[in-house]
Amino acid sequence: MTPEQQSRNTRALCELAPVIPVLVVGDATRAEGLATALVAGGLPVLEVTLRTPAALDVIRAMAKVPGGHVGAGTVLTPDDAKRARDAGASFAVSPGLTERLARACEEIDLPLLPGAVTASEVMRAMELGYSMLKFFPAEAAGGAKSLKSLAGPLPQVSFCPTGGVTLQNAPDYLALPNVVCVGGSWIAPDADVAASDWAAIETRARDARTLR
């Protein structure tokens, strides 16, 4: 799968809902209930970060939930990409982009949403064939104002800003012509996941669904 094809696939996923929940889950027994609540709330595309020992088991469990599209976040190496795909991830998300990671995802047919912040990083991603990118860390890198500035010289690239995005500032990002969706961790806070409060998470997902 070429980078061009990968970006078409990731853009299609990003267009399914205005928010992709970014999930750090340490207990795989919570995975099915969490994914079911998010999908029921109208957020079918989920990013499970590879930051806990349980992450791959979480992906395996969530991949079985009807209507969901589960991806792996914090994919840094070819091995990360392969393990994520083998666990059932339908896409990968990385905070940056290397040629080695790009080649690996091409070889295993795993759509990659790579990260870029500066104009040079965006141009490098474009040279490799990517046109759908993650803007990370969004708030720390200047937020919506920075993304708006990139839209002028680089209008052919679209973004999913992640990092510091909240219910309050998400509309500022979503109003930009080069933003397809945002990634946010506020949808499923640790306390609600630990308490298996799926109703609260579903309600928060429904609220996020109306942001576009």
Side-chain angles (χ1 to χ4, degrees):
M1 183 183 296
T2 67
E4 291 83 1
Q5 292 170 323
Q6 292 177 42
S7 279
R8 284 195 292 271
N9 285 4
T10 55
R11 183 185 178 92
L13 289 171
C14 288
E15 289 175 342
L16 292 177
V19 180
I20 295 178
V22 179
L23 309 169
V24 182
V25 184
D27 183 356
T29 64
R30 314 280 186 190
E32 183 178 358
L34 175 57
T36 299
L38 291 167
V39 172
L43 303 182
V45 184
L46 315 175
E47 176 188 337
V48 177
T49 64
L50 299 183
R51 299 182 195 175
T52 71
L56 294 175
D57 288 333
V58 171
I59 291 172
R60 288 187 186 93
M62 288 188 171
K64 299 175 183 177
V65 174
H69 304 272
V70 184
T74 323
V75 173
L76 306 178
T77 67
D79 184 59
D80 287 341
K82 184 179 185 303
R83 289 187 299 123
R85 186 207 60 180
D86 291 346
S90 56
F91 65 99
V93 183
S94 179
L97 178 62
T98 67
E99 289 189 33
R100 185 165 170 254
L101 180 59
R103 286 196 302 270
C105 288
E106 186 171 354
E107 289 171 0
I108 65 175
D109 288 333
L110 182 67
L112 175 66
L113 180 65
V117 172
T118 67
S120 293
E121 290 172 351
V122 174
M123 290 168 62
R124 179 58 178 150
M126 290 170 60
E127 284 185 352
L128 292 175
Y130 293 93
S131 59
M132 182 72 220
L133 305 175
K134 173 180 179 175
F135 185 75
F136 175 85
E139 281 293 289
K145 289 183 179 179
S146 290
L147 267 173
K148 184 177 181 180
S149 297
L150 289 174
L154 301 166
Q156 60 273 63
V157 180
S158 298
F159 295 91
C160 170
T162 305
V165 179
T166 66
L167 179 63
Q168 289 70 38
N169 63 25
D172 295 334
Y173 288 101
L174 292 168
L176 299 176
N178 58 342
V179 170
V180 181
C181 68
V182 300
S185 59
W186 84 88
I187 310 293
D190 291 343
D192 285 350
V193 175
S196 298
D197 193 347
W198 309 137
I201 290 174
E202 182 177 340
T203 296
R204 211 173 280 111
R206 291 187 185 281
D207 291 341
R209 178 75 189 188
T210 66
L211 287 173
R212 179 126 60 199

